[in-house]
Amino acid sequence: MNVSFSANSLSVSNSRNRLISFRETEQGDKKSSEEWKTSTKSEALSIMEGELASLLNTSPDAKLDHYKMELSGFRNLFARFLRAKPTVDWSKIEPLPEGAIRPYKSLGTVSAKDIIAAQLRKLVVVKLNGGLGTSMGCKGPNNFQTLNKTYGVDVPLVLMNSFNTNEDTSKVLKKYSNVKVSVHTFSQSQYPRINRETLLPIVKSLDGDDNECWYPPGHGNFYEAFHNSGLLDKFIADGKEYCFLSNIDNMGATVDLSILNFVLNPQAEQEAPEFLMEVTDKTRADVKGGTLIQYEGRLMLLEIAQVPKDYVDEFKSISKFRIFNTNNLWAKLSAMKRVVTENKLEMEVIVNPKHLDRGLDVIQLETAAGAAIKSFRGAVGVNVPRSRFLPVKKTSDLLLLMSNLYDIDNGSLTLSHQRSFPTTPLVKLGSSFDKVKDYLGRFNGIPDLLELDHLTVSGDVWFGKDVSLKGTVIIIANHGDRIDIPPGSILENKIVSGNLRILEH
């Protein structure tokens, strides 16, 4: 282990008092304040190391090595948090160099089945399953079986779970025991939540099961957790070269043969990219999504949390920052091993504040997988069609995917050719539609959305069969009112409010 947690208990106690005193007062001239901050950060790390050492003393013997590895990773993340600047220097953002983002249509294609099969044998597919995606991702094994059967290959499917999703994932996978797909699972790290005031872990013992004291540290933890699981070395030994990484709730993140061919067979006089990020054009629904910039000579993923307050509106501009990260990522396995083992993985730390049910304010230190782009050689972005980014996080997303906006071909979703413009509508469904059961009950049939631009629904609203929505449609039922959209209705650029019930007799 690279990190040793050791501290004299007396010096830790004294340092803690000085740290809290500084956080409470923070006074003096600018120079002395900066000196205090530097000193305090050093002390904060020393204090944290002392707390982690104390925690390790409470570990069951059988789990000691596991916790050493986990807390070592957490210590490194905490040290980066102390060193990091909270926002980027806006004046240092440079124009993207030519070729940094390639049009999807510029990628070559391969039609020979034997070549496609040979390329697929070098691929591993990883789904990030740390959040709400377990139930949404249940079609994954079936789609993989189709891919493998078509080309006579066995592309392995890997699920990265968190301690929140392990149990549910095991239940779902049992339903697919007869599906001929090699499925592997591993867990991302489990890090201690930090008290926002003291900057110390709220967990006091490792010999317990208080899950509220722990959190999964974002999907940027994938690289280290994948390496620590032993699967990275296994797949390299098996002759695999690249992994395709995506969120499990992104229904558009299927294996793309054109991108696979591009990373394995780069164009003349170009090295194979060690890292590729799929980006797509921003719409009004994506203004908070991370974007690619050139910063200090490297490609960098810029998230909204890293933007200075005075520039947030500029960051959200669709005209200046026209693309955003889909979190569909392709990475070379050997390069991944290099950056992890040589400790060259640089990812910005995201501070995620939480208020616990027990009344405590904490922070979680997280990283995003796409932020690793600056750690890899020859990294590029590819501007892909919107159909590559179809997340299902809310019932409004589900409505779009269940509608006639999309066509399904062998498990892949594509935007219907009947839609006259290539963007998806902006849909906002009220709280009455939050639960899937309620959402399904309120639609007697999924409306025709081919010509829809914007839909807002609020209150007690119900839809009949064969409804068509076009342009901008706003339907608002005030408290105590109910609106039933009659079967066969065509609403185009309409606002419907009040109370509307048409009953058959």
Side-chain angles (χ1 to χ4, degrees):
M1 188 175 63
N2 295 328
V3 179
S4 175
F5 305 126
S6 62
N8 179 279
S9 59
L10 179 61
S11 65
V12 168
S13 177
N14 290 339
S15 296
R16 182 188 291 116
N17 291 336
R18 290 196 296 273
L19 172 61
I20 294 173
S21 174
F22 170 72
R23 289 172 64 82
E24 289 173 347
T25 58
E26 201 161 332
Q27 57 188 354
D29 60 33
K30 184 176 180 181
K31 182 178 180 182
S32 63
S33 176
E34 289 303 316
E35 290 172 350
W36 261 102
K37 287 180 181 178
T38 301
S39 173
T40 304
K41 286 178 180 179
S42 176
E43 290 179 349
L45 182 58
S46 177
I47 294 167
M48 178 61 76
E49 290 176 346
E51 291 290 317
L52 298 179
S54 297
L55 272 178
L56 281 176
N57 288 332
T58 69
S59 171
D61 291 342
K63 293 186 176 180
L64 182 59
D65 288 341
H66 166 75
Y67 279 123
K68 278 184 178 179
M69 184 178 294
E70 292 285 82
L71 295 184
S72 173
F74 172 75
R75 180 269 178 202
N76 291 338
L77 182 61
F78 184 75
R80 295 212 313 272
F81 157 69
L82 293 176
R83 293 195 305 266
K85 296 180 180 178
T87 59
V88 298
D89 183 341
W90 203 252
S91 65
K92 291 185 177 180
I93 296 178
E94 307 165 22
L96 286 170
E98 185 177 353
I101 299 179
R102 299 169 184 269
Y104 177 78
K105 290 182 179 180
S106 71
L107 305 185
T109 58
V110 176
S111 56
K113 196 171 181 178
D114 59 334
I115 296 177
I116 294 173
Q119 293 179 347
L120 287 170
R121 291 189 182 98
K122 298 177 180 179
L123 181 67
V124 177
V125 174
V126 180
K127 294 293 182 181
L128 301 170
N129 189 33
L132 302 176
T134 302
S135 59
M136 296 297 183
C138 61
K139 293 184 179 180
N142 281 340
N143 290 345
F144 263 72
Q145 182 171 246
T146 301
L147 176 75
N148 287 340
K149 187 176 180 180
T150 300
Y151 294 100
V153 295
D154 185 15
V155 176
L157 172 62
V158 182
L159 302 179
M160 183 178 84
N161 302 319
S162 72
F163 63 93
N164 292 321
T165 59
N166 262 331
E167 188 175 338
D168 287 343
T169 301
S170 297
K171 291 177 181 178
V172 170
L173 288 178
K174 286 179 181 178
K175 299 178 182 179
Y176 295 93
S177 57
N178 295 326
V179 176
K180 295 181 178 179
V181 176
S182 298
V183 180
H184 305 262
T185 63
F186 71 100
S187 291
Q188 69 181 117
S189 294
Q190 183 175 336
Y191 286 172
R193 282 174 164 153
I194 304 171
N195 186 305
R196 194 174 71 181
E197 290 302 314
T198 65
L199 291 184
L200 298 173
I202 64 172
V203 64
K204 300 305 176 187
S205 173
L206 300 179
D207 192 12
D209 56 358
D210 187 356
N211 281 347
E212 199 177 38
C213 292
W214 303 89
Y215 73 97
H219 43 62
N221 177 242
F222 159 71
Y223 307 99
E224 291 172 296
F226 191 45
H227 174 267
N228 293 342
S229 72
L231 287 174
L232 176 57
D233 285 335
K234 169 190 161 42
F235 289 129
I236 291 175
D238 289 345
K240 308 298 183 185
E241 295 185 18
Y242 275 84
C243 78
F244 169 47
L245 176 72
S246 64
N247 295 341
I248 200 167
D249 58 19
N250 182 2
M251 299 295 104
T254 55
V255 174
D256 187 281
L257 299 178
S258 295
I259 296 178
L260 178 61
N261 178 60
F262 173 73
V263 296
L264 289 172
N265 294 295
Q267 297 172 1
E269 299 181 2
Q270 292 180 337
E271 292 185 16
E274 291 186 346
F275 192 97
L276 183 148
M277 176 185 289
E278 295 184 36
V279 298
T280 196
D281 293 342
K282 266 189 183 181
T283 68
R284 286 174 298 170
D286 316 306
V287 293
K288 293 183 178 180
T291 191
L292 278 181
I293 61 171
Q294 184 79 356
Y295 192 78
E296 296 181 337
R298 293 186 292 182
L299 273 184
M300 173 182 165
L301 175 65
L302 177 65
E303 301 279 9
I304 192 168
Q306 300 160 259
V307 177
K309 289 182 180 179
D310 292 345
Y311 297 96
V312 168
D313 288 340
E314 188 175 337
F315 173 82
K316 291 181 178 180
S317 168
I318 295 176
S319 60
K320 180 166 184 177
F321 297 102
R322 299 180 180 180
I323 53 92
F324 73 98
N325 170 32
T326 65
N327 217 40
N328 297 346
L329 309 171
W330 301 70
K332 193 170 186 177
L333 298 182
S334 59
M336 193 186 306
K337 181 172 182 177
R338 183 189 73 240
V339 297
V340 172
T341 56
E342 295 180 5
N343 201 26
K344 292 184 177 179
L345 197 59
E346 297 180 46
M347 291 180 286
E348 288 70 31
V349 179
I350 300 166
V351 180
N352 188 359
K354 296 281 185 181
H355 182 77
L356 303 185
D357 292 341
R358 63 184 70 178
L360 195 61
D361 289 318
V362 300
I363 59 173
Q364 300 178 178
L365 304 181
E366 304 175 4
T367 54
I373 189 168
K374 65 181 185 180
S375 302
F376 291 86
R377 299 166 187 161
V380 296
V382 172
N383 194 338
V384 297
R386 181 73 185 203
S387 57
R388 297 282 298 160
F389 182 70
L390 301 172
V392 181
K393 298 181 183 294
K394 300 174 290 187
T395 52
S396 54
D397 302 321
L398 196 57
L399 176 62
L400 293 173
L401 293 181
M402 291 178 69
S403 75
N404 56 351
L405 277 171
Y406 293 97
D407 299 324
I408 302 177
D409 181 23
N410 289 326
S412 296
L413 291 160
T414 56
L415 195 64
S416 173
H417 294 296
Q418 296 181 54
R419 184 166 173 82
S420 56
F421 36 97
T423 58
T424 54
L426 181 62
V427 174
K428 298 179 180 178
L429 300 180
S431 58
S432 298
F433 294 81
D434 282 351
K435 295 181 179 179
V436 174
K437 183 179 179 181
D438 294 338
Y439 153 82
L440 292 173
R442 290 178 177 273
F443 286 98
N444 204 4
I446 301 299
D448 177 347
L449 305 183
L450 279 175
E451 297 179 45
L452 179 69
D453 180 49
H454 178 189
L455 172 66
T456 295
V457 181
S458 178
D460 191 10
V461 179
W462 302 74
F463 290 82
K465 288 183 178 180
D466 302 321
V467 172
S468 181
L469 306 175
K470 303 180 180 183
T472 296
V473 178
I474 300 173
I475 307 171
I476 300 176
N478 295 322
H479 181 70
D481 291 339
R482 169 171 169 158
I483 294 178
D484 287 78
I485 305 300
S489 299
I490 299 175
L491 302 180
E492 183 171 4
N493 296 321
K494 299 292 184 186
I495 298 177
V496 181
S497 63
N499 191 60
L500 174 64
R501 296 201 73 182
I502 300 176
L503 305 176
E504 295 182 1
H505 61 87

